[in-house]
């Protein structure tokens, strides 16, 4: 049986960096990545046979936990009937109906295979609809590796200390205006200067890719109003918050409707499926009815759609799941804060529902500059000590922890106890 180190060495000889997504390489915590063999409920087991309580949950999709029976059964049934046709199926319509019924800002939807594709499609659609080129995004918000959005991105790029990606041309980057999050004045200034050239404003309504950062009161409403007054489109990237912070996402929780919404992660139930959608008049501009081209061989494939339908159906039919997630996540937040206090380790915990981040600093964390003041060395030590105690946290200070409906009080309390031992060792 190979060790994680041996598996990583072998992978690096064949896969770029040994991983298929950079953040998985554990560079930010200076450790060897864990290779998983299986997952069930709130637990994952690595190739060395160690079992961990999992707070990554594949970076958000697994709100029901690993391998939930209704989802696995739906995937198996769908796969036996054929994995993909490249032709319409009624199951895609069924998933579309679930999404349209749940998300206030979506009247029409288009399914894709990743959040990046969905963000890219939403952006191209906004430019096609408005006939304008400039886009406003926010430092620390991440929307996938879309060239024009990979400018001062958060998440992987930030974690690797390389906020601007090589390979993104100056011309492309020059059409993206990057503003600080939670700063209305910066929005006003940008729109005074460029307003009639701006196609869209895109943001994570509750940021998760610089760590969890909440919008200050009234901020999102101001962003929406300034954007709309300029004739630009307001795009909410709810890849992480969609079906996570509430059944209808942050826009339902905050009662604020965007023109376009990007979805991913939970909507695909752990399979490669994402979506973008919005006002019918805007979506009508998409090919084949309209002039904005967007496509995908496996977009809406029956197996991923079956996983999405099974996951959303579980959430829709059991609204108590969100109340349970709130109880579990609040217990974790308060337990971590108390344990850090007893060990006199300054921490700032930001949380919305079952997504949270523990920052190693006094706080508050209102934007990327605040987030970057965190003690990432201390985070790396903490992460390592938690891993040694079999609690699997995201390998970056600038990511969100996720609690699933499969987590138990026992899981949460054991994590808090392990954290107290880790804080004491910092
Ligand atoms: P994907 O292309 O990875 O499916 O989605 C990109 C994306 C878009 N928008 C938001 C708000 C996101 O959080 C993401 C992806 N999130 C990261 C981690 N926070 C995925 C992990 C990874 O890159 O490996």
């Amino acid at each position: 049986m190979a060790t994680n180190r041996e598996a990583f060495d072998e992978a690096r000889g064949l896969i770029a960096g040994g991983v298929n997504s950079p953040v998985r390489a554990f560079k930010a915590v200076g450790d060897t990545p864990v290779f998983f063999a299986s997952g069930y409920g709130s637990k994952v087991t690595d190739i060395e046979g160690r079992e961990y309580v999992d707070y990554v949950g594949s970076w958000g999709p697994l709100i029901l936990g690993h391998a939930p029976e209704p989802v696995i059964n739906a995937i198996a049934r769908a796969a036996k009937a054929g994995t993909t046709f490249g032709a319409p199926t009624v199951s895609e319509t069924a998933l579309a109906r679930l999404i349209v019924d749940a998300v206030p800002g979506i009247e029409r939807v288009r399914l894709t295979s990743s959040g990046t594709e969905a963000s890219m499609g939403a952006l191209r659609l906004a430019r096609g609809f408005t006939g304008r080129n400039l886009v406003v995004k926010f430092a620390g918000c991440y929307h996938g590796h879309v060239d024009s959005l990979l400018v001062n991105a958060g998440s992987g790029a930030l974690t690797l200390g390389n906020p601007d990606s090589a390979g993104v041309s100056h011309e492309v980057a020059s059409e993206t205006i990057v503003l600080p999050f939670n700063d209305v004045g910066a929005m006003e200034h940008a729109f005074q200067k460029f307003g009639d050239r701006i196609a869209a404003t895109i943001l994570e309504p509750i940021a998760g890719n610089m760590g969890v950062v909440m919008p200050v009161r009234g901020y999102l409403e101001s962003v929406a109003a300034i954007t709309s007054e300029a004739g630009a489109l307001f795009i909410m990237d709810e890849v992480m918050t969609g079906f996570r912070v509430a059944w209808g996402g942050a826009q339902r929780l905050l009662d604020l409707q965007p023109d376009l919404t990007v979805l991913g992660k939970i909507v695909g139930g752990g399979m490669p499926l994402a979506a973008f959608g919005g006002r019918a008049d805007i979506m009508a501009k998409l090919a084949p009815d309209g002039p904005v081209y967007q496509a995908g061989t496996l977009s809406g494939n029956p197996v991923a759609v079956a996983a999405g339908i099974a996951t959303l159906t579980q959430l829709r039919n059991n609204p108590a799941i969100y109340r349970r997630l709130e109880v579990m996540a609040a217990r974790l937040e308060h337990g971590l804060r108390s344990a850090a206090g007893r060990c006199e380790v300054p921490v700032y915990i930001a949380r919305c529902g079952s997504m949270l981040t523990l920052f190693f600093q006094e706080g508050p964390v209102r934007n990327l500059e605040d987030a970057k003041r965190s003690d990432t060395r201390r985070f790396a030590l903490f992460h390592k000590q938690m891993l040694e105690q079999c609690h699997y946290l995201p390998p970056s200070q600038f990511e969100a922890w996720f609690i699933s409906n499969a987590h138990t009080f026992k899981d949460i309390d054991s994590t808090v106890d392990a954290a107290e031992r880790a804080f004491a060792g910092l």
Side-chain angles (χ1 to χ4, degrees):
M1 175 185 65
T3 64
N4 288 309
R5 163 54 66 191
E6 288 162 346
F8 191 41
D9 290 344
E10 181 183 5
R12 281 197 300 197
L14 296 161
I15 299 170
V19 291
N20 287 307
S21 199
V23 71
R24 303 178 192 172
F26 272 42
K27 280 205 169 186
V29 291
D31 207 344
T32 300
V34 179
F35 279 64
F36 287 126
S38 64
Y40 187 73
S42 61
K43 308 292 189 308
V44 281
T45 303
D46 73 10
I47 57 172
E48 298 177 14
R50 286 161 62 90
E51 184 181 79
Y52 304 79
V53 181
D54 180 20
Y55 289 96
V56 176
S58 185
W59 303 96
L62 302 179
I63 194 166
L64 300 177
H66 289 271
E69 198 168 343
V71 178
I72 298 302
N73 292 343
I75 289 171
R77 258 194 318 275
K80 285 174 188 155
T83 55
T84 180
F85 305 107
T89 62
V90 296
S91 64
E92 290 159 77
T93 309
L95 179 55
R97 186 179 308 284
L98 275 166
I99 293 168
V100 168
D101 287 352
V103 184
I106 296 185
E107 296 176 330
R108 296 284 184 287
V109 70
R110 172 63 58 87
L111 303 180
T112 67
S113 297
S114 72
T116 295
E117 267 191 275
S119 296
M120 185 168 60
L123 212 56
R124 186 178 310 131
L125 178 58
R127 286 175 157 151
F129 182 78
T130 61
R132 300 175 179 182
N133 283 351
L134 298 188
V135 166
V136 171
K137 78 170 292 286
F138 299 87
C141 285
Y142 175 68
H143 307 289
H145 58 95
V146 185
D147 272 11
S148 51
L149 295 177
L150 211 51
V151 179
N152 273 8
S155 187
L158 176 71
T159 300
L160 297 178
N162 176 22
D164 293 322
S165 170
V168 173
S169 72
H170 173 73
E171 290 74 9
V172 166
S174 66
E175 292 193 321
T176 304
I177 301 159
V178 185
L179 302 177
F181 191 69
N182 272 331
D183 181 338
V184 175
M187 266 295 285
E188 286 164 344
H189 181 65
F191 274 80
Q192 276 156 16
K193 204 171 162 191
F194 301 107
D196 59 355
R197 294 174 51 202
I198 295 173
T201 300
I202 184 169
L203 55 62
E204 296 176 57
I206 292 157
N209 285 287
M210 45 181 142
V212 173
V213 175
M214 299 300 292
V216 298
R217 187 181 302 280
Y219 174 67
L220 294 178
E221 290 73 9
S222 300
V223 168
I226 294 166
T227 300
S228 168
E229 277 152 29
L233 298 185
F234 181 33
I235 305 175
M236 271 193 191
D237 177 347
E238 294 226 50
V239 166
M240 190 182 290
T241 55
F243 301 101
R244 168 63 60 181
V245 298
W247 167 243
Q251 59 194 270
R252 168 85 67 197
L253 190 71
L254 303 169
D255 191 20
L256 181 63
Q257 205 163 304
D259 298 303
L260 290 173
T261 300
V262 183
L263 296 172
K265 297 183 193 279
I266 292 171
V267 76
M271 293 295 283
L273 183 143
F276 63 103
R279 285 177 15 207
D281 62 316
I282 301 173
M283 295 299 285
K285 293 288 184 188
L286 267 184
D289 291 346
V292 179
Y293 195 69
Q294 187 276 337
T297 302
L298 295 174
S299 294
N301 81 79
V303 180
V305 164
I309 290 173
T311 300
L312 296 195
T313 303
Q314 285 294 312
L315 294 172
R316 184 195 58 190
N317 294 352
N318 304 282
I321 286 178
Y322 286 102
R323 286 196 295 278
R324 185 177 184 280
L325 287 170
E326 177 56 31
V327 168
M328 306 306 277
R331 187 181 181 102
L332 179 62
E333 174 190 353
H334 299 315
L336 291 170
R337 186 176 289 115
S338 310
R342 285 191 293 276
C343 299
E344 296 179 351
V345 173
V347 298
Y348 177 79
I349 300 178
R351 178 176 72 84
C352 185
S354 56
M355 59 189 268
L356 69 87
T357 295
L358 182 150
F359 292 97
F360 278 89
Q361 60 161 289
E362 295 281 359
V365 178
R366 295 149 306 189
N367 55 39
L368 177 60
E369 286 319 304
D370 287 351
K372 289 203 288 191
R373 277 194 281 274
S374 304
D375 185 335
T376 51
R377 188 193 55 77
R378 226 173 199 191
F379 174 83
L381 286 173
F382 177 71
H383 184 273
K384 193 174 188 71
Q385 294 197 37
M386 290 299 279
L387 202 59
E388 284 166 1
Q389 298 181 83
C390 294
H391 297 263
Y392 187 74
L393 308 181
S396 161
Q397 168 68 94
F398 306 108
E399 293 288 355
W401 307 17
F402 297 103
I403 292 100
S404 81
N405 192 44
H407 281 75
T408 62
F409 281 141
K410 183 166 175 281
D411 292 332
I412 301 295
D413 296 347
S414 73
T415 299
V416 170
D417 292 345
E420 181 142 12
R421 288 188 289 270
F423 288 135
L426 293 184

